[in-house]
Amino acid sequence: MSVINDVIEIKLNGRKYRARLDMGAIAEAQWNLKQVKDNITVVEMFDLVKKENYKVINNLIIESIRRCHPQLEAKNILEDMKLHERNNITLYVFSLMKASLPQDDDKKKQVE
């Protein structure tokens, strides 16, 4: 998996996608999830990823991919999200979060 700026490459069912978790992707995922729970916050979404909530994970992956591939529909991406790849899919969300979210300066210094 390669990361260029805040875009990562995701492989689902043998197909490669580029994905970016940005404010647009988060907003779309929040909008989609609003049908299940009113006003879900970003922090709540990320906590639910840690708890392996696949409704949240799927929405974040789909909307992140759609930021780089706007011509794709959610249902087409979802078809490539196979159950046997669920661990990789969850790891992709964590990779998106790591690539997209600001790191605290102390952590940056430790990495350098």
Side-chain angles (χ1 to χ4, degrees):
M1 172 178 43
S2 61
V3 179
I4 300 173
N5 295 328
D6 59 347
V7 176
I8 71 165
E9 185 178 276
I10 292 177
K11 192 173 183 181
L12 300 173
N13 196 30
R15 296 181 78 183
K16 290 182 182 178
Y17 298 96
R18 290 178 310 126
R20 171 187 289 125
L21 182 64
D22 60 8
M23 295 303 287
I26 291 171
E28 286 298 319
Q30 278 181 307
W31 177 257
N32 296 338
L33 293 166
K34 193 173 187 175
Q35 297 169 21
V36 179
K37 181 182 188 296
D38 285 337
N39 299 324
I40 187 166
T41 67
V42 175
V43 173
E44 287 175 316
M45 282 196 311
F46 291 163
D47 284 343
L48 289 169
V49 168
K50 291 176 191 170
K51 293 176 183 175
E52 295 185 350
N53 181 309
Y54 289 102
K55 184 79 172 166
V56 173
I57 289 168
N58 290 354
N59 270 281
L60 288 171
I61 287 284
I62 289 167
E63 295 307 331
S64 294
I65 289 172
R66 292 186 71 211
R67 296 301 287 173
C68 295
H69 304 275
Q71 74 281 8
L72 294 178
E73 291 187 35
K75 65 181 180 181
N76 300 116
I77 298 167
L78 194 56
E79 287 174 4
D80 279 335
M81 297 174 75
K82 302 299 180 189
L83 186 58
H84 70 273
E85 293 181 331
R86 71 187 179 283
N87 291 336
N88 287 341
I89 291 168
T90 302
L91 289 175
Y92 287 137
V93 174
F94 286 123
S95 296
L96 281 163
M97 290 165 46
K98 184 178 178 185
S100 302
L101 297 174
Q103 291 184 11
D104 141 355
D105 286 339
D106 292 335
K107 289 181 183 176
K108 282 183 183 177
K109 288 176 186 170
Q110 290 176 354
V111 173
E112 292 174 353

